[in-house]
Amino acid sequence: MMSWEERAPEGVYPIEGANAFFLEPSRIISSNYFYFSAIPHRYYSRSFFLPHQPQRADHLQASNVQQKKRKRKKLSAYALNPKELLAQRRHQDVRKFILDAHTAFMALPEVSSFLKSLEKHLYECKENQHFSYSECKQDTVSEMIDFVELGTVWQASLYSMTLSMVNATNEDCNGSTQESAEPLIKFPLFRHMIENNTDKELLGSCAGITTILPKKSRFLMSDLADIRQTLSSYTGNGYNLIIIDPPWENRSAHRHAVYSTVPNKHLLFLPLKELAHPQGALIGLWVTNREKLRAFVEDVLFPAWDVDIQATWFWLKINADGCMIGELDTPHHKPYECLLLGYMRPQGNKSDSQIPVLKFPPDKQVLISIPGDHSRKPPLDSLLSAYVPGQDSVRGLELFARDIHPGWTSWGNEPLRFQQMHYFEKE
Ligand code: SAM
């Protein structure tokens, strides 16, 4: 029998019999690079190497049984407020789809061997002190940079990025010809669009570290307050696929001090209509399960952007043993997050022949993966590209991005975060 890796080397595995896919993000990322690949144990460090190790399902159930009983008792005595009732209703509508997808996933014969081999590989890499490319280079600082902080110091406007080609003769960690890339050109690091329009990845050096820019990609690092002066001037013909993962106000981001958040109404400041293709765009917006946010998106944000919701996809997070990261029916911290997908209507008065043909994304599709860093979403480019309106090729834009994808533009206050060499090794 062919393994999953052989059948879908790019990390997107359809789950037969369910409206679902299993995603292996480090493989998806690696498929985008020619010279580099993502280091799996760096991608999954949170799921595999934190002190609370994943527990086997039976163990989990046995140890939590008392706790769950107490919780249930407490909840049954507690009357839900109207918002909680609405959230519960939404959950009831979708839980069957999520459960069916997860059951179909767990029943696949390849799952257990795949997860075991992934876990084994990650632990071996870790034990063997598997170094990344940057850590082997004497002259490169192996620590990572906090770009959000860097962008707020008074010298921010003085920082620049030098682009250079990856020299194919560069050897691996033990090689002696490490530094041979020729600098190409220097750009301001902040508030400026930096582009790699070549067919292979480029290296970007800034503030003492090296980052990787995938082929045909570009990024702009700026704050939401500046977006109209910065990103809006690089719209070109407009984007027909826009993914937004806002820093919604939530306790988890605050508690973990991962990133700063913005009040909901500030998202109305995003110039979405200016950024979108005049013939319309597929918009994907990540939301948490809080009813307040869902209501804000449905009643305020999408109407302001002329976006009609077409489908909701669910990202189901699993542990290294394949079990959901938490109880499906818990009122808070559900093991899934939602991606709302809608079409922005074409702008201006369009005759019927100018209205693009739409291929609607399937509703209630479930995407299953093991999570990476806090709030890091799995890459969905290949799944979403099929639903871009019209005949044009995909012009993708990610807002509030923390990484960069080939063919896409990334904007946010730290789009280089996961492009640092720390996350990659040379092929
Ligand atoms: N989609 C990303 C991923 O998969 O890794 C996660 C995005 S995270 C939910 C939100 C991002 O918005 C963070 O990188 C945060 O630093 C950024 N952000 C917060 N406030 C911002 C602001 N005022 N302007 C621009 N970006 C901001």
Side-chain angles (χ1 to χ4, degrees):
M1 188 176 63
M2 262 171 102
S3 70
W4 259 356
E5 293 94 318
E6 286 162 339
R7 271 199 285 132
E10 299 194 345
V12 180
Y13 312 104
I15 301 174
E16 277 162 35
N19 184 15
F21 287 87
F22 172 65
L23 307 175
E24 212 281 72
S26 73
R27 197 173 274 271
I28 301 177
I29 295 170
S30 297
S31 70
N32 290 333
Y33 292 86
F34 184 80
Y35 295 113
F36 295 93
S37 56
I39 300 177
H41 81 257
R42 291 270 153 79
Y43 185 92
Y44 291 118
S45 61
R46 204 161 154 255
S47 286
F48 285 87
F49 304 116
L50 279 185
H52 54 86
Q53 286 301 305
Q55 301 171 52
R56 300 276 153 208
D58 45 355
H59 177 204
L60 189 74
Q61 275 165 15
S63 66
N64 286 347
V65 132
Q66 289 304 324
Q67 214 181 340
K68 281 184 205 161
K69 268 190 191 162
R70 276 200 299 273
K71 226 182 196 175
R72 234 175 275 137
K73 220 173 168 184
K74 228 172 160 184
L75 279 174
S76 57
Y78 163 74
L80 299 176
N81 69 35
K83 281 206 178 94
E84 288 168 330
L85 276 171
L86 277 174
Q88 196 186 43
R89 221 167 287 151
R90 275 191 212 273
H91 172 70
Q92 290 305 328
D93 277 352
V94 302
R95 72 180 297 283
K96 183 181 174 326
F97 295 90
I98 294 174
L99 211 52
D100 286 352
H102 187 247
T103 308
F105 168 71
M106 292 301 261
L108 291 174
E110 305 97 323
V111 168
S112 120
S113 65
F114 175 83
L115 292 175
K116 271 190 200 125
S117 72
L118 179 65
E119 192 167 16
K120 187 166 165 265
H121 174 67
L122 297 183
Y123 277 96
E124 275 168 7
C125 289
K126 186 96 175 134
E127 270 159 29
N128 294 341
Q129 287 299 304
H130 178 106
F131 287 113
S132 71
Y133 181 57
S134 62
E135 284 161 337
C136 323
K137 295 179 76 174
Q138 297 296 306
D139 56 349
T140 309
V141 181
S142 64
E143 278 159 45
M144 291 190 293
I145 277 192
D146 182 339
F147 287 100
V148 180
E149 205 178 296
L150 199 69
T152 54
V153 299
W154 69 265
Q155 302 96 323
S157 61
L158 304 176
Y159 280 106
S160 59
M161 169 169 272
T162 307
L163 293 186
S164 55
M165 288 196 278
V166 182
N167 193 317
T169 62
N170 269 0
E171 289 188 358
D172 64 13
C173 291
N174 304 315
S176 51
T177 55
Q178 289 171 2
E179 196 48 73
S180 48
E182 290 295 321
L184 285 179
I185 194 156
K186 230 177 183 179
F187 298 97
L189 181 60
F190 294 100
R191 297 167 57 89
H192 186 87
M193 186 70 84
I194 299 185
E195 187 161 6
N196 171 8
N197 51 24
T198 76
D199 284 330
K200 305 248 168 75
E201 51 266 32
L202 291 180
L203 300 178
S205 308
C206 56
I209 59 131
T210 307
T211 58
I212 308 181
L213 265 64
K215 63 183 177 190
K216 304 275 179 209
S217 68
R218 47 189 211 157
F219 76 91
L220 193 149
M221 194 145 52
S222 78
D223 192 87
L224 179 60
D226 306 325
I227 194 168
R228 284 168 191 265
Q229 292 88 53
T230 55
L231 187 61
S232 295
S233 49
Y234 294 100
T235 309
N237 291 335
Y239 299 95
N240 52 16
L241 174 54
I242 304 181
I243 300 301
I244 314 162
D245 186 12
W248 296 111
E249 287 180 306
N250 71 77
R251 277 191 221 112
S252 170
H254 279 300
R255 200 174 42 240
H256 296 101
V258 194
Y259 49 77
S260 55
T261 57
V262 299
N264 295 350
K265 60 178 188 293
H266 288 200
L267 297 176
L268 289 164
F269 192 62
L270 290 171
L272 222 70
K273 286 190 191 169
E274 287 169 40
L275 295 168
H277 193 287
Q279 290 216 325
L282 174 64
I283 309 293
L285 179 75
W286 285 100
V287 281
T288 65
N289 290 301
R290 282 182 65 206
E291 189 52 35
K292 189 178 154 198
L293 299 187
R294 290 294 288 269
F296 172 72
V297 173
E298 287 172 5
D299 302 339
V300 182
L301 204 55
F302 273 8
W305 291 339
D306 285 344
V307 172
D308 302 312
I309 296 189
Q310 300 295 344
T312 306
W313 287 7
F314 301 96
W315 171 36
L316 178 64
K317 299 176 233 180
I318 55 166
N319 281 323
D321 60 1
C323 297
M324 298 184 200
I325 60 161
E327 261 192 276
L328 183 58
D329 294 321
T330 179
H332 304 290
H333 304 300
K334 295 210 165 38
Y336 63 88
E337 287 186 44
C338 308
L339 178 69
L340 303 181
L341 292 168
Y343 284 111
M344 179 182 286
R345 280 166 247 146
Q347 288 153 43
N349 288 331
K350 296 269 182 294
S351 66
D352 282 353
S353 62
Q354 289 173 304
I355 296 177
V357 180
L358 301 180
K359 184 182 163 208
F360 296 113
D363 195 20
K364 300 192 177 72
Q365 183 155 274
V366 181
L367 312 162
I368 301 179
S369 76
I370 303 175
D373 273 84
H374 185 276
S375 197
R376 191 169 187 189
K377 308 300 185 298
L380 301 179
D381 314 6
S382 63
L383 290 176
L384 289 172
S385 296
Y387 306 106
V388 161
Q391 309 294 321
D392 289 357
S393 54
V394 176
R395 291 203 70 225
L397 169 68
E398 185 173 347
L399 299 177
F400 300 107
R402 294 192 296 184
D403 62 5
I404 311 176
H405 304 188
W408 282 61
T409 301
S410 286
W411 169 87
N413 63 10
E414 52 173 352
L416 290 175
R417 180 186 174 125
F418 296 125
Q419 295 305 128
Q420 303 187 53
M421 273 296 185
H422 174 81
Y423 294 97
F424 293 90
E425 62 189 325
K426 195 126 187 270
E427 282 281 279

